[in-house]
């Protein structure tokens, strides 16, 4: 598996069409650069709530916005800051 040094954006393939809807498939061997060890999600979070505010120094994560919008403020191990907006 790849070891990522900085936060980045992954595009997931959409399979389907407008009249039938779409599906995206996440497979470790195809489009995830590391082994999946845990899956978690949040929901019904009000717009004005800020979550997180802590560091994950020894893991890699992929975050999906299944609905709505998520603004992620990230900082890598070298202090480089990147903002991602998922919607």
């Amino acid at each position: 598996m790849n070891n990522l040094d900085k936060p980045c954006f992954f595009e997931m393939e959409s399979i389907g069409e407008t009249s039938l809807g779409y599906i995206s498939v996440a497979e470790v061997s195809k489009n995830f650069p590391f082994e999946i060890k845990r899956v978690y999600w949040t929901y019904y979070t009000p717009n004005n709530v800020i979550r997180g505010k802590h560091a994950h120094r020894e893991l890699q994560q992929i975050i999906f916005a299944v609905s709505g919008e998520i603004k992620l403020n990230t900082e890598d191990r070298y202090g480089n800051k990147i903002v991602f907006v998922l919607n």
Side-chain angles (χ1 to χ4, degrees):
M1 298 290 165
N2 294 333
N3 187 5
L4 301 175
D5 286 334
K6 61 182 179 176
C8 59
F9 187 76
F10 286 89
E11 287 284 342
M12 299 292 294
E13 179 184 6
S14 292
I15 303 167
E17 56 186 71
T18 304
S19 62
L20 299 174
Y22 295 89
I23 185 172
S24 292
V25 180
E27 296 178 83
V28 173
S29 61
K30 284 190 175 182
N31 52 14
F32 279 83
F34 51 85
E35 179 184 2
I36 298 171
K37 295 183 180 179
R38 179 173 58 159
V39 175
Y40 57 92
W41 55 92
T42 64
Y43 46 94
Y44 299 131
T45 305
N47 288 338
N48 61 340
V49 171
I50 297 173
R51 298 185 51 90
K53 298 193 250 181
H54 60 280
H56 289 248
R57 298 183 191 279
E58 299 292 325
L59 65 83
Q60 296 174 320
Q61 298 182 52
I62 293 181
I63 300 172
F64 297 91
V66 177
S67 68
E69 183 174 278
I70 301 171
K71 181 178 178 183
L72 298 168
N73 295 296
T74 66
E75 183 175 349
D76 68 16
R77 68 180 85 179
Y78 309 107
N80 300 309
K81 297 178 182 180
I82 303 173
V83 176
F84 293 92
V85 178
L86 309 177
N87 53 25

